[in-house]
PDB file of all heavy atoms in Angstrom:
ATOM      1  N   ALA A   1       2.051  16.490   1.241  1.00 98.00           N
ATOM      2  CA  ALA A   1       3.160  16.916   2.101  1.00 98.00           C
ATOM      3  C   ALA A   1       3.720  18.260   1.635  1.00 98.00           C
ATOM      4  O   ALA A   1       3.992  19.137   2.456  1.00 98.00           O
ATOM      5  CB  ALA A   1       4.258  15.853   2.105  1.00 98.00           C
ATOM      6  N   ALA A   2       3.869  18.426   0.333  1.00 98.00           N
ATOM      7  CA  ALA A   2       4.397  19.680  -0.209  1.00 98.00           C
ATOM      8  C   ALA A   2       3.455  20.854   0.052  1.00 98.00           C
ATOM      9  O   ALA A   2       3.896  22.002   0.161  1.00 98.00           O
ATOM     10  CB  ALA A   2       4.654  19.540  -1.710  1.00 98.00           C
ATOM     11  N   GLU A   3       2.169  20.542   0.170  1.00 98.00           N
ATOM     12  CA  GLU A   3       1.170  21.593   0.419  1.00 98.00           C
ATOM     13  C   GLU A   3       0.918  21.814   1.906  1.00 98.00           C
ATOM     14  O   GLU A   3      -0.006  22.537   2.274  1.00 98.00           O
ATOM     15  CB  GLU A   3      -0.128  21.252  -0.312  1.00 98.00           C
ATOM     16  CG  GLU A   3       0.021  21.315  -1.822  1.00 98.00           C
ATOM     17  CD  GLU A   3      -1.224  20.874  -2.578  1.00 98.00           C
ATOM     18  OE1 GLU A   3      -2.176  20.344  -1.950  1.00 98.00           O
ATOM     19  OE2 GLU A   3      -1.234  21.048  -3.815  1.00 98.00           O
ATOM     20  N   GLY A   4       1.710  21.157   2.755  1.00 97.00           N
ATOM     21  CA  GLY A   4       1.627  21.418   4.192  1.00 97.00           C
ATOM     22  C   GLY A   4       0.663  20.549   4.976  1.00 97.00           C
ATOM     23  O   GLY A   4       0.228  20.947   6.060  1.00 97.00           O
ATOM     24  N   ALA A   5       0.344  19.379   4.477  1.00 98.00           N
ATOM     25  CA  ALA A   5      -0.527  18.479   5.233  1.00 98.00           C
ATOM     26  C   ALA A   5       0.111  18.146   6.579  1.00 98.00           C
ATOM     27  O   ALA A   5       1.338  18.171   6.728  1.00 98.00           O
ATOM     28  CB  ALA A   5      -0.766  17.191   4.448  1.00 98.00           C
ATOM     29  N   SER A   6      -0.720  17.827   7.544  1.00 98.00           N
ATOM     30  CA  SER A   6      -0.213  17.460   8.862  1.00 98.00           C
ATOM     31  C   SER A   6       0.319  16.031   8.838  1.00 98.00           C
ATOM     32  O   SER A   6      -0.013  15.243   7.947  1.00 98.00           O
ATOM     33  CB  SER A   6      -1.326  17.563   9.906  1.00 98.00           C
ATOM     34  OG  SER A   6      -2.298  16.546   9.674  1.00 98.00           O
ATOM     35  N   SER A   7       1.121  15.702   9.826  1.00 98.00           N
ATOM     36  CA  SER A   7       1.615  14.326   9.950  1.00 98.00           C
ATOM     37  C   SER A   7       0.456  13.347  10.056  1.00 98.00           C
ATOM     38  O   SER A   7       0.498  12.267   9.475  1.00 98.00           O
ATOM     39  CB  SER A   7       2.536  14.192  11.169  1.00 98.00           C
ATOM     40  OG  SER A   7       3.743  14.886  10.946  1.00 98.00           O
ATOM     41  N   ALA A   8      -0.588  13.723  10.785  1.00 98.00           N
ATOM     42  CA  ALA A   8      -1.752  12.836  10.934  1.00 98.00           C
ATOM     43  C   ALA A   8      -2.404  12.561   9.577  1.00 98.00           C
ATOM     44  O   ALA A   8      -2.796  11.426   9.293  1.00 98.00           O
ATOM     45  CB  ALA A   8      -2.764  13.441  11.903  1.00 98.00           C
ATOM     46  N   GLU A   9      -2.508  13.582   8.739  1.00 98.00           N
ATOM     47  CA  GLU A   9      -3.089  13.397   7.402  1.00 98.00           C
ATOM     48  C   GLU A   9      -2.208  12.476   6.559  1.00 98.00           C
ATOM     49  O   GLU A   9      -2.721  11.594   5.851  1.00 98.00           O
ATOM     50  CB  GLU A   9      -3.253  14.741   6.698  1.00 98.00           C
ATOM     51  CG  GLU A   9      -4.316  15.631   7.314  1.00 98.00           C
ATOM     52  CD  GLU A   9      -4.302  17.029   6.724  1.00 98.00           C
ATOM     53  OE1 GLU A   9      -3.292  17.747   6.936  1.00 98.00           O
ATOM     54  OE2 GLU A   9      -5.290  17.393   6.063  1.00 98.00           O
ATOM     55  N   ILE A  10      -0.902  12.683   6.637  1.00 98.00           N
ATOM     56  CA  ILE A  10       0.028  11.842   5.875  1.00 98.00           C
ATOM     57  C   ILE A  10      -0.055  10.403   6.348  1.00 98.00           C
ATOM     58  O   ILE A  10      -0.090   9.467   5.528  1.00 98.00           O
ATOM     59  CB  ILE A  10       1.471  12.384   5.995  1.00 98.00           C
ATOM     60  CG1 ILE A  10       1.591  13.778   5.363  1.00 98.00           C
ATOM     61  CG2 ILE A  10       2.480  11.407   5.398  1.00 98.00           C
ATOM     62  CD1 ILE A  10       1.265  13.858   3.880  1.00 98.00           C
ATOM     63  N   LEU A  11      -0.110  10.201   7.649  1.00 98.00           N
ATOM     64  CA  LEU A  11      -0.202   8.834   8.180  1.00 98.00           C
ATOM     65  C   LEU A  11      -1.503   8.158   7.758  1.00 98.00           C
ATOM     66  O   LEU A  11      -1.504   6.965   7.426  1.00 98.00           O
ATOM     67  CB  LEU A  11      -0.058   8.848   9.698  1.00 98.00           C
ATOM     68  CG  LEU A  11       1.319   9.254  10.222  1.00 98.00           C
ATOM     69  CD1 LEU A  11       1.288   9.388  11.742  1.00 98.00           C
ATOM     70  CD2 LEU A  11       2.398   8.279   9.770  1.00 98.00           C
ATOM     71  N   LYS A  12      -2.589   8.903   7.726  1.00 98.00           N
ATOM     72  CA  LYS A  12      -3.872   8.344   7.282  1.00 98.00           C
ATOM     73  C   LYS A  12      -3.801   7.938   5.805  1.00 98.00           C
ATOM     74  O   LYS A  12      -4.250   6.855   5.427  1.00 98.00           O
ATOM     75  CB  LYS A  12      -4.995   9.348   7.503  1.00 98.00           C
ATOM     76  CG  LYS A  12      -6.363   8.805   7.148  1.00 98.00           C
ATOM     77  CD  LYS A  12      -7.449   9.805   7.478  1.00 98.00           C
ATOM     78  CE  LYS A  12      -8.812   9.205   7.125  1.00 98.00           C
ATOM     79  NZ  LYS A  12      -9.894  10.137   7.439  1.00 98.00           N
ATOM     80  N   MET A  13      -3.208   8.783   4.981  1.00 98.00           N
ATOM     81  CA  MET A  13      -3.068   8.468   3.561  1.00 98.00           C
ATOM     82  C   MET A  13      -2.179   7.241   3.366  1.00 98.00           C
ATOM     83  O   MET A  13      -2.491   6.353   2.556  1.00 98.00           O
ATOM     84  CB  MET A  13      -2.483   9.665   2.799  1.00 98.00           C
ATOM     85  CG  MET A  13      -3.390  10.879   2.745  1.00 98.00           C
ATOM     86  SD  MET A  13      -2.577  12.335   2.036  1.00 98.00           S
ATOM     87  CE  MET A  13      -2.625  11.885   0.289  1.00 98.00           C
ATOM     88  N   THR A  14      -1.090   7.184   4.115  1.00 98.00           N
ATOM     89  CA  THR A  14      -0.155   6.061   4.004  1.00 98.00           C
ATOM     90  C   THR A  14      -0.809   4.772   4.457  1.00 98.00           C
ATOM     91  O   THR A  14      -0.622   3.713   3.838  1.00 98.00           O
ATOM     92  CB  THR A  14       1.124   6.356   4.811  1.00 98.00           C
ATOM     93  OG1 THR A  14       1.675   7.600   4.356  1.00 98.00           O
ATOM     94  CG2 THR A  14       2.153   5.253   4.632  1.00 98.00           C
ATOM     95  N   SER A  15      -1.607   4.837   5.505  1.00 98.00           N
ATOM     96  CA  SER A  15      -2.322   3.654   5.974  1.00 98.00           C
ATOM     97  C   SER A  15      -3.257   3.115   4.889  1.00 98.00           C
ATOM     98  O   SER A  15      -3.327   1.897   4.658  1.00 98.00           O
ATOM     99  CB  SER A  15      -3.116   3.997   7.238  1.00 98.00           C
ATOM    100  OG  SER A  15      -3.849   2.875   7.686  1.00 98.00           O
ATOM    101  N   GLY A  16      -3.960   4.004   4.217  1.00 98.00           N
ATOM    102  CA  GLY A  16      -4.843   3.588   3.126  1.00 98.00           C
ATOM    103  C   GLY A  16      -4.075   2.933   1.987  1.00 98.00           C
ATOM    104  O   GLY A  16      -4.530   1.940   1.408  1.00 98.00           O
ATOM    105  N   THR A  17      -2.910   3.458   1.704  1.00 98.00           N
ATOM    106  CA  THR A  17      -2.078   2.879   0.651  1.00 98.00           C
ATOM    107  C   THR A  17      -1.575   1.497   1.060  1.00 98.00           C
ATOM    108  O   THR A  17      -1.570   0.560   0.253  1.00 98.00           O
ATOM    109  CB  THR A  17      -0.896   3.810   0.327  1.00 98.00           C
ATOM    110  OG1 THR A  17      -1.422   5.073  -0.095  1.00 98.00           O
ATOM    111  CG2 THR A  17      -0.015   3.235  -0.768  1.00 98.00           C
ATOM    112  N   LEU A  18      -1.171   1.350   2.307  1.00 98.00           N
ATOM    113  CA  LEU A  18      -0.691   0.042   2.774  1.00 98.00           C
ATOM    114  C   LEU A  18      -1.781  -1.025   2.719  1.00 98.00           C
ATOM    115  O   LEU A  18      -1.481  -2.206   2.533  1.00 98.00           O
ATOM    116  CB  LEU A  18      -0.116   0.161   4.188  1.00 98.00           C
ATOM    117  CG  LEU A  18       1.269   0.781   4.266  1.00 98.00           C
ATOM    118  CD1 LEU A  18       1.662   1.037   5.720  1.00 98.00           C
ATOM    119  CD2 LEU A  18       2.305  -0.101   3.585  1.00 98.00           C
ATOM    120  N   MET A  19      -3.035  -0.624   2.854  1.00 98.00           N
ATOM    121  CA  MET A  19      -4.136  -1.589   2.714  1.00 98.00           C
ATOM    122  C   MET A  19      -4.147  -2.191   1.306  1.00 98.00           C
ATOM    123  O   MET A  19      -4.469  -3.364   1.132  1.00 98.00           O
ATOM    124  CB  MET A  19      -5.479  -0.932   3.035  1.00 98.00           C
ATOM    125  CG  MET A  19      -5.634  -0.558   4.507  1.00 98.00           C
ATOM    126  SD  MET A  19      -5.475  -1.966   5.637  1.00 98.00           S
ATOM    127  CE  MET A  19      -6.862  -2.946   5.143  1.00 98.00           C
ATOM    128  N   LYS A  20      -3.776  -1.405   0.316  1.00 98.00           N
ATOM    129  CA  LYS A  20      -3.690  -1.908  -1.059  1.00 98.00           C
ATOM    130  C   LYS A  20      -2.546  -2.902  -1.190  1.00 98.00           C
ATOM    131  O   LYS A  20      -2.665  -3.913  -1.885  1.00 98.00           O
ATOM    132  CB  LYS A  20      -3.518  -0.751  -2.044  1.00 98.00           C
ATOM    133  CG  LYS A  20      -4.730   0.160  -2.102  1.00 98.00           C
ATOM    134  CD  LYS A  20      -4.490   1.348  -3.006  1.00 98.00           C
ATOM    135  CE  LYS A  20      -5.694   2.264  -3.009  1.00 98.00           C
ATOM    136  NZ  LYS A  20      -5.488   3.428  -3.887  1.00 98.00           N
ATOM    137  N   CYS A  21      -1.432  -2.616  -0.522  1.00 97.00           N
ATOM    138  CA  CYS A  21      -0.299  -3.549  -0.537  1.00 97.00           C
ATOM    139  C   CYS A  21      -0.716  -4.883   0.075  1.00 97.00           C
ATOM    140  O   CYS A  21      -0.417  -5.949  -0.466  1.00 97.00           O
ATOM    141  CB  CYS A  21       0.886  -2.973   0.228  1.00 97.00           C
ATOM    142  SG  CYS A  21       1.549  -1.435  -0.456  1.00 97.00           S
ATOM    143  N   ILE A  22      -1.415  -4.815   1.193  1.00 97.00           N
ATOM    144  CA  ILE A  22      -1.880  -6.035   1.861  1.00 97.00           C
ATOM    145  C   ILE A  22      -2.829  -6.807   0.956  1.00 97.00           C
ATOM    146  O   ILE A  22      -2.719  -8.032   0.843  1.00 97.00           O
ATOM    147  CB  ILE A  22      -2.545  -5.686   3.206  1.00 97.00           C
ATOM    148  CG1 ILE A  22      -1.486  -5.176   4.186  1.00 97.00           C
ATOM    149  CG2 ILE A  22      -3.296  -6.884   3.778  1.00 97.00           C
ATOM    150  CD1 ILE A  22      -2.057  -4.531   5.436  1.00 97.00           C
ATOM    151  N   ALA A  23      -3.744  -6.106   0.301  1.00 96.00           N
ATOM    152  CA  ALA A  23      -4.687  -6.768  -0.603  1.00 96.00           C
ATOM    153  C   ALA A  23      -3.962  -7.490  -1.727  1.00 96.00           C
ATOM    154  O   ALA A  23      -4.292  -8.633  -2.069  1.00 96.00           O
ATOM    155  CB  ALA A  23      -5.675  -5.751  -1.174  1.00 96.00           C
ATOM    156  N   CYS A  24      -2.963  -6.851  -2.298  1.00 96.00           N
ATOM    157  CA  CYS A  24      -2.210  -7.439  -3.398  1.00 96.00           C
ATOM    158  C   CYS A  24      -1.438  -8.670  -2.928  1.00 96.00           C
ATOM    159  O   CYS A  24      -1.500  -9.734  -3.550  1.00 96.00           O
ATOM    160  CB  CYS A  24      -1.276  -6.393  -3.993  1.00 96.00           C
ATOM    161  SG  CYS A  24      -0.441  -6.928  -5.499  1.00 96.00           S
ATOM    162  N   HIS A  25      -0.712  -8.525  -1.838  1.00 97.00           N
ATOM    163  CA  HIS A  25       0.098  -9.636  -1.335  1.00 97.00           C
ATOM    164  C   HIS A  25      -0.768 -10.788  -0.826  1.00 97.00           C
ATOM    165  O   HIS A  25      -0.312 -11.925  -0.807  1.00 97.00           O
ATOM    166  CB  HIS A  25       1.057  -9.149  -0.246  1.00 97.00           C
ATOM    167  CG  HIS A  25       2.212  -8.380  -0.797  1.00 97.00           C
ATOM    168  ND1 HIS A  25       3.421  -8.963  -1.085  1.00 97.00           N
ATOM    169  CD2 HIS A  25       2.326  -7.065  -1.142  1.00 97.00           C
ATOM    170  CE1 HIS A  25       4.238  -8.046  -1.575  1.00 97.00           C
ATOM    171  NE2 HIS A  25       3.595  -6.888  -1.623  1.00 97.00           N
ATOM    172  N   SER A  26      -2.007 -10.498  -0.448  1.00 97.00           N
ATOM    173  CA  SER A  26      -2.928 -11.544  -0.019  1.00 97.00           C
ATOM    174  C   SER A  26      -3.504 -12.320  -1.196  1.00 97.00           C
ATOM    175  O   SER A  26      -3.897 -13.479  -1.050  1.00 97.00           O
ATOM    176  CB  SER A  26      -4.084 -10.935   0.793  1.00 97.00           C
ATOM    177  OG  SER A  26      -3.598 -10.372   1.985  1.00 97.00           O
ATOM    178  N   ALA A  27      -3.557 -11.687  -2.350  1.00 97.00           N
ATOM    179  CA  ALA A  27      -4.190 -12.307  -3.521  1.00 97.00           C
ATOM    180  C   ALA A  27      -3.204 -13.003  -4.455  1.00 97.00           C
ATOM    181  O   ALA A  27      -3.565 -13.984  -5.097  1.00 97.00           O
ATOM    182  CB  ALA A  27      -4.972 -11.251  -4.311  1.00 97.00           C
ATOM    183  N   TRP A  28      -1.984 -12.494  -4.552  1.00 96.00           N
ATOM    184  CA  TRP A  28      -1.052 -12.994  -5.558  1.00 96.00           C
ATOM    185  C   TRP A  28       0.309 -13.363  -4.984  1.00 96.00           C
ATOM    186  O   TRP A  28       0.749 -12.817  -3.986  1.00 96.00           O
ATOM    187  CB  TRP A  28      -0.829 -11.965  -6.660  1.00 96.00           C
ATOM    188  CG  TRP A  28      -2.056 -11.762  -7.486  1.00 96.00           C
ATOM    189  CD1 TRP A  28      -2.572 -12.619  -8.418  1.00 96.00           C
ATOM    190  CD2 TRP A  28      -2.935 -10.655  -7.439  1.00 96.00           C
ATOM    191  NE1 TRP A  28      -3.723 -12.096  -8.954  1.00 96.00           N
ATOM    192  CE2 TRP A  28      -3.971 -10.887  -8.363  1.00 96.00           C
ATOM    193  CE3 TRP A  28      -2.956  -9.484  -6.708  1.00 96.00           C
ATOM    194  CZ2 TRP A  28      -5.005 -10.002  -8.576  1.00 96.00           C
ATOM    195  CZ3 TRP A  28      -3.999  -8.598  -6.917  1.00 96.00           C
ATOM    196  CH2 TRP A  28      -5.003  -8.859  -7.843  1.00 96.00           C
ATOM    197  N   GLN A  29       0.958 -14.264  -5.686  1.00 97.00           N
ATOM    198  CA  GLN A  29       2.364 -14.567  -5.462  1.00 97.00           C
ATOM    199  C   GLN A  29       3.051 -14.512  -6.826  1.00 97.00           C
ATOM    200  O   GLN A  29       2.405 -14.652  -7.851  1.00 97.00           O
ATOM    201  CB  GLN A  29       2.550 -15.938  -4.807  1.00 97.00           C
ATOM    202  CG  GLN A  29       2.038 -17.106  -5.627  1.00 97.00           C
ATOM    203  CD  GLN A  29       2.243 -18.448  -4.944  1.00 97.00           C
ATOM    204  OE1 GLN A  29       2.692 -19.368  -5.604  1.00 97.00           O
ATOM    205  NE2 GLN A  29       1.919 -18.580  -3.688  1.00 97.00           N
ATOM    206  N   LEU A  30       4.323 -14.263  -6.825  1.00 97.00           N
ATOM    207  CA  LEU A  30       5.085 -14.222  -8.072  1.00 97.00           C
ATOM    208  C   LEU A  30       5.866 -15.508  -8.204  1.00 97.00           C
ATOM    209  O   LEU A  30       6.618 -15.878  -7.300  1.00 97.00           O
ATOM    210  CB  LEU A  30       6.029 -13.021  -8.095  1.00 97.00           C
ATOM    211  CG  LEU A  30       5.355 -11.654  -7.990  1.00 97.00           C
ATOM    212  CD1 LEU A  30       6.397 -10.555  -7.951  1.00 97.00           C
ATOM    213  CD2 LEU A  30       4.381 -11.424  -9.135  1.00 97.00           C
ATOM    214  N   LYS A  31       5.683 -16.169  -9.332  1.00 97.00           N
ATOM    215  CA  LYS A  31       6.336 -17.445  -9.578  1.00 97.00           C
ATOM    216  C   LYS A  31       7.237 -17.327 -10.787  1.00 97.00           C
ATOM    217  O   LYS A  31       6.823 -16.819 -11.836  1.00 97.00           O
ATOM    218  CB  LYS A  31       5.266 -18.516  -9.832  1.00 97.00           C
ATOM    219  CG  LYS A  31       5.804 -19.884 -10.127  1.00 97.00           C
ATOM    220  CD  LYS A  31       4.660 -20.867 -10.361  1.00 97.00           C
ATOM    221  CE  LYS A  31       5.201 -22.225 -10.720  1.00 97.00           C
ATOM    222  NZ  LYS A  31       4.121 -23.173 -11.001  1.00 97.00           N
ATOM    223  N   ALA A  32       8.463 -17.786 -10.659  1.00 95.00           N
ATOM    224  CA  ALA A  32       9.378 -17.776 -11.795  1.00 95.00           C
ATOM    225  C   ALA A  32       9.030 -18.916 -12.742  1.00 95.00           C
ATOM    226  O   ALA A  32       8.792 -20.048 -12.308  1.00 95.00           O
ATOM    227  CB  ALA A  32      10.810 -17.907 -11.318  1.00 95.00           C
ATOM    228  N   ALA A  33       8.973 -18.599 -14.022  1.00 94.00           N
ATOM    229  CA  ALA A  33       8.722 -19.633 -15.032  1.00 94.00           C
ATOM    230  C   ALA A  33       9.891 -20.616 -15.060  1.00 94.00           C
ATOM    231  O   ALA A  33      11.034 -20.234 -14.857  1.00 94.00           O
ATOM    232  CB  ALA A  33       8.534 -18.973 -16.407  1.00 94.00           C
ATOM    233  N   ASN A  34       9.571 -21.851 -15.298  1.00 81.00           N
ATOM    234  CA  ASN A  34      10.632 -22.894 -15.368  1.00 81.00           C
ATOM    235  C   ASN A  34      11.269 -22.937 -16.734  1.00 81.00           C
ATOM    236  O   ASN A  34      10.776 -22.748 -17.723  1.00 81.00           O
ATOM    237  CB  ASN A  34      10.049 -24.264 -15.039  1.00 81.00           C
ATOM    238  CG  ASN A  34       9.584 -24.309 -13.588  1.00 81.00           C
ATOM    239  OD1 ASN A  34      10.151 -23.627 -12.739  1.00 81.00           O
ATOM    240  ND2 ASN A  34       8.581 -25.088 -13.320  1.00 81.00           N
TER     241      ASN A  34
END
């Protein structure tokens, strides 16, 4: 963004990052120790 990427480029990068979030949330849950 600081180097002048287009909105489309930023959205593509963000979409790729969100796929990692989905992968993580699909694989793990956080459980508090008793």
Side-chain angles (χ1 to χ4, degrees):
E3 293 175 351
S6 69
S7 291
E9 291 171 294
I10 296 299
L11 293 173
K12 184 176 181 180
M13 294 172 76
T14 305
S15 178
T17 301
L18 283 172
M19 292 301 296
K20 294 176 182 180
C21 298
I22 291 168
C24 188
H25 285 266
S26 295
W28 292 286
Q29 61 180 226
L30 300 177
K31 179 180 177 182
N34 294 330

